[in-house]
Amino acid sequence: MSLFYLLWTYITHVVFDASIVVLPMLFSSFIAACPFTGQYLVALPAALELYCLQQRHLAALLLVMCQVAPSWMVDTVIYSEVRGGIHPWFTGLAVVGGVYVFGVLGAIYGPLALCVLYVVITVYSTFITDTDMDTPDVRHTGVTGVRSTLVRS
């Protein structure tokens, strides 16, 4: 998703000839990884530039509409295919935590560590639920007068 929104923001800003391109690209990629707000916010500075400085009112409106459209279409298609899995907030926390611990490469290492942890937990829980409990029930032996070795006198 981050790569898609990075490229989509680049294409829309270049097509509409906005001079602000690099920062909205980086912000849209970060917002896709940490979904705390909508993607359309990255188009607002360029739309204000097109509207106020270049006097291109229709281009400003179309830029915002082109930035909002993938949030309605692409996100719903991608998130409808995801069943279970990791909540996007955890992914965002993994990115932020990875950047805090590893620096810039932590944007990759953090989610990677989260995915490894998620796979380990999923495999372990699947393994535990699939195994039968073969241990005998030791709570009631049925023999009277025999003292257990675990009970101290």
Side-chain angles (χ1 to χ4, degrees):
M1 288 274 284
S2 293
L3 185 62
F4 168 75
Y5 275 113
L6 183 120
L7 293 174
W8 181 256
T9 305
Y10 174 75
I11 290 169
T12 56
H13 282 65
V14 168
V15 165
F16 289 106
D17 197 28
S19 62
I20 305 172
V21 177
V22 176
L23 283 178
M25 282 175 35
L26 296 175
F27 285 141
S28 69
S29 178
F30 180 74
I31 290 172
C34 305
F36 54 87
T37 186
Q39 294 291 330
Y40 53 87
L41 290 179
V42 298
L44 292 180
L48 285 173
E49 175 208 350
L50 292 174
Y51 186 81
C52 297
L53 299 178
Q54 296 183 11
Q55 300 298 321
R56 296 173 51 205
H57 308 296
L58 183 62
L61 181 66
L62 287 174
L63 175 66
V64 173
M65 287 176 56
C66 285
Q67 200 68 34
V68 169
S71 297
W72 291 338
M73 292 182 258
V74 175
D75 288 358
T76 56
V77 170
I78 290 175
Y79 287 137
S80 70
E81 292 296 322
V82 175
R83 292 177 181 88
I86 301 171
H87 195 273
W89 281 100
F90 288 123
T91 305
L93 288 174
V95 170
V96 171
V99 168
Y100 179 74
V101 173
F102 298 113
V104 175
L105 288 176
I108 296 172
Y109 293 152
L112 186 64
L114 178 68
C115 288
V116 167
L117 180 66
Y118 180 73
V119 166
V120 167
I121 289 172
T122 304
V123 167
Y124 178 74
S125 64
T126 304
F127 176 74
I128 290 298
T129 57
D130 288 346
T131 58
D132 293 330
M133 299 301 277
D134 292 337
T135 58
D137 189 16
V138 293
R139 283 179 256 155
H140 179 67
T141 59
V143 179
T144 58
V146 177
R147 221 174 182 184
S148 173
T149 58
L150 296 176
V151 178
R152 292 186 177 198
S153 49

